Amino acid sequence: IGVGLVGFGLFFLLFGVLLYFDSVLLAFGNLLFLSGLVFIIGFRRTFTFFFERPKLKGTSFFFGGVIVVLMRWPILGMLLEAYGFITLFRGFFPVAFGFL
């Protein structure tokens, strides 16, 4: 269930960007992505991941972007989310590129 939710969330995010930042699709994609993450790794691990002390800056930007998208400012919200996503997963990128 979790992988499907994350997949649909990423699909809706991509589709929302392709349709000139449609705020409804972006908001739906955000909610599906986050709920899928909770289903995959569990609520406690998700909460621990997002609210670790070194990751608070990325978390605040990511969730701030989600809130801004929900307030129907999609371009600014996606920029905030992208910065937060990059900040959160900075340590994971070298591992992913090494795997490829």
Side-chain angles (χ1 to χ4, degrees), residues 63-83:
F63 285 122
V66 170
I67 290 170
V68 170
V69 166
L70 289 173
M71 292 174 18
R72 295 191 176 257
W73 289 39
I75 296 174
L76 179 62
M78 287 305 291
L79 288 173
L80 290 173
E81 279 184 47
Y83 179 73

Side-chain angles (χ1 to χ4, degrees), residues 1-4 6 35-42 45:
I1 292 177
V3 175
V6 168
S35 62
L37 194 63
V38 170
F39 271 104
I40 289 173
I41 63 174
R45 285 189 195 168

Side-chain angles (χ1 to χ4, degrees), residues 7-94:
F8 277 119
L10 292 175
F11 171 75
F12 278 105
L13 285 172
L14 177 69
F15 202 55
V17 170
L18 290 176
L19 290 176
Y20 302 112
F21 292 96
D22 183 34
S23 59
V24 174
L25 289 174
L26 292 173
F28 195 59
N30 284 328
L31 295 176
L32 285 174
F33 178 77
L34 291 174
S35 62
L37 194 63
V38 170
F39 271 104
I40 289 173
I41 63 174
F43 184 76
R44 184 178 304 265
R45 285 189 195 168
T46 305
F47 186 81
T48 305
F49 172 77
F50 279 110
F51 293 103
E52 287 178 350
R53 181 91 171 127
K55 296 181 181 179
L56 281 177
K57 179 180 175 184
T59 300
S60 61
F61 272 98
F62 184 77
F63 285 122
V66 170
I67 290 170
V68 170
V69 166
L70 289 173
M71 292 174 18
R72 295 191 176 257
W73 289 39
I75 296 174
L76 179 62
M78 287 305 291
L79 288 173
L80 290 173
E81 279 184 47
Y83 179 73
F85 185 82
I86 291 169
T87 305
L88 279 171
F89 294 102
R90 180 180 298 153
F92 180 69
F93 289 133

